Amino acid sequence: MGLKSLAEAVILQSLEDFWSLPHRKQSIDFFKGEGFIVCSKIAELDAIKQIEVLCYLGGDSYGKSVRLH
């Protein structure tokens, strides 16, 4: 498994953990912190894909304040 695949797996596991009450806080901490940023870069997710992931977790209101220029 390459580094890119590992980063993708970490992001996917954190998405799954978000829906599990015992793991939700750790998942939120991952997406709010450096972990998501680092894994996104390694997984080659551009800013739009990162926003899509965060909007998926937080609904439409999460990404509305993000401005891309």
Side-chain angles (χ1 to χ4, degrees):
M1 178 184 279
L3 196 54
K4 180 180 177 184
S5 296
L6 180 60
E8 291 169 348
V10 170
I11 292 170
L12 290 173
Q13 183 63 53
S14 295
L15 284 169
E16 184 176 330
D17 289 348
F18 181 80
W19 303 111
S20 168
L21 289 178
H23 299 104
R24 181 168 289 173
K25 181 173 178 352
Q26 292 171 324
S27 176
I28 291 169
D29 290 345
F30 170 79
F31 286 107
K32 283 185 168 182
E34 289 291 315
F36 179 59
I37 295 167
V38 170
C39 286
S40 293
K41 287 181 182 179
I42 294 170
E44 299 175 1
L45 296 180
D46 61 16
I48 299 297
K49 289 295 180 189
Q50 291 176 31
I51 291 168
E52 288 175 359
V53 169
L54 296 175
C55 285
Y56 175 74
L57 292 174
D60 292 336
S61 63
Y62 191 86
K64 284 185 179 176
S65 64
V66 177
R67 294 179 185 227
L68 296 177
H69 299 282

